[in-house]
């Protein structure tokens, strides 16, 4: 195994290698990936915390657990999409853009519901920033740069 910078990486090192990506995509990748990790952890912790609710209101607890499971699944999907976007898959960039639109929808719904969850707007602004970065000219050129990156396989 060689320690030279030109040696091929494997495992986790290869998964998180950002060599060759424009700065815009590096920043977008980390925003999406870290956001996915936080969503996954939040969903899992929320599921654990909601288990106490089963004693007081079992029907409500089921709903909360399902919502937390959904949040965890979306977080996991977001992490996968971020990795695929970093690998040059155009479909993953579109999927992340759709997730940003869903985040906007949730923020608007919560705003009208009056639940006072300002965190939804913060999440949307962060997702919007990552989305804009993925569609800037340098990022567009990078996605068009190689036929391998534009395949819909995998």
């Amino acid at each position: 195994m060689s320690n030279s910078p030109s040696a091929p990486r494997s495992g986790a090192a290869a998964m998180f290698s950002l060599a060759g990506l424009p700065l815009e995509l590096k920043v977008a990748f980390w925003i999406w990936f870290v956001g996915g990790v936080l969503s996954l952890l939040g969903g899992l912790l929320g599921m654990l915390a909601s288990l106490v609710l089963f004693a007081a209101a079992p029907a409500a607890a089921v709903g909360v657990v399902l919502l937390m499971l959904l949040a965890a699944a979306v977080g996991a999907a977001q992490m996968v999409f971020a990795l695929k976007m970093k690998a040059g898959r155009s479909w993953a960039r579109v999927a992340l853009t759709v997730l940003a639109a869903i985040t906007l929808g949730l923020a608007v719904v919560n705003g009208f519901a009056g639940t006072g969850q300002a965190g939804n707007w913060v999440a949307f602004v962060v997702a919007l920033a990552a989305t804009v970065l993925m569609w800037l000219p340098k990022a567009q050129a990078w996605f068009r740069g190689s036929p391998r990156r534009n395949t819909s396989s995998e």
Side-chain angles (χ1 to χ4, degrees):
M1 179 178 234
S2 172
N3 288 332
S4 73
S6 61
R9 294 176 184 225
S10 62
M15 184 168 49
F16 293 109
S17 173
L18 301 175
L21 264 70
L23 179 61
E24 294 89 337
L25 287 178
K26 290 177 183 179
V27 173
F29 167 76
W30 284 115
I31 290 172
W32 284 116
F33 192 82
V34 169
V37 168
L38 293 174
S39 182
L40 175 65
L41 290 175
L44 293 175
L45 289 174
M47 275 193 309
L48 289 174
S50 67
L51 292 178
V52 221
L53 191 57
F54 275 103
V62 169
V64 171
V65 168
L66 290 175
L67 286 174
M68 293 297 107
L69 183 60
L70 179 63
V74 168
Q78 184 173 323
M79 291 165 47
V80 170
F81 294 155
L83 288 166
K84 294 298 184 180
M85 181 270 298
K86 177 190 71 75
R89 304 291 186 248
S90 293
W91 62 263
R93 180 172 57 158
V94 172
L96 289 167
T97 302
V98 169
L99 283 179
I102 291 170
T103 304
L104 171 61
L106 291 172
V108 168
V109 167
N110 281 330
F112 282 125
T115 57
Q117 294 183 358
N120 288 325
W121 286 106
V122 172
F124 167 67
V125 169
V126 171
L128 178 64
T131 301
V132 167
L133 288 170
M134 292 187 309
W135 293 95
L136 288 175
K138 285 184 184 176
Q140 295 264 29
W142 184 81
F143 276 100
R144 283 192 304 264
S146 168
R148 179 189 70 79
R149 291 191 192 117
N150 293 322
T151 63
S152 60
S153 65
E154 200 177 311

